Amino acid sequence: MKLIKSLFLVITIMLALIIGVLFSTRNSQAVPLDLIFFQFPPVSIAIWLLLSLATGAILSAFVYGFITFKLKRRNVQLQRQLAKLDQSESRLKVTQ
């Protein structure tokens, strides 16, 4: 099973590299990126697209991490409340 996973990983990486090379060779035209207050020098379209993809991935990972942290913190709070309720219930059963 480990061999199959490793083989699948190698094939996936090779396929991604081949697609990346084909993508960059087909999108090699240099274009400037003009933001409102700043203009970047002409660079390949492939570079601009890959940079925007990487920026989006990083930003989404940051947002997802923040949401996950918030949910885990809420989960800990609810676990503490549940433990307190369980203790109260067990004390109530003992006194009856």
Side-chain angles (χ1 to χ4, degrees):
M1 188 66 175
K2 201 172 192 178
L3 178 65
I4 294 172
K5 285 183 182 181
S6 298
L7 186 61
F8 181 72
L9 181 64
V10 168
I11 289 172
T12 304
I13 290 172
M14 293 298 288
L15 187 62
L17 287 173
I18 290 169
I19 290 172
V21 168
L22 289 173
F23 177 76
S24 65
T25 57
R26 290 183 176 247
N27 294 301
S28 60
Q29 181 182 2
V31 293
L33 180 63
D34 188 13
L35 301 175
I36 295 174
F37 299 109
F38 189 75
Q39 183 173 3
F40 291 97
V43 179
S44 168
I45 293 174
I47 299 296
W48 290 128
L49 290 174
L50 291 174
L51 284 174
S52 65
L53 175 72
T55 302
I58 290 169
L59 287 175
S60 65
F62 177 73
V63 169
Y64 177 74
F66 177 73
I67 291 170
T68 302
F69 175 74
K70 189 175 169 183
L71 289 173
K72 283 183 180 182
R73 189 176 64 194
R74 179 70 177 144
N75 190 20
V76 168
Q77 290 173 348
L78 291 173
Q79 291 289 339
R80 287 181 188 155
Q81 285 180 357
L82 183 62
K84 286 180 184 179
L85 287 173
D86 285 342
Q87 285 178 350
S88 298
E89 183 181 352
S90 64
R91 286 185 203 156
L92 190 62
K93 285 181 181 180
V94 169
T95 58
Q96 290 178 351

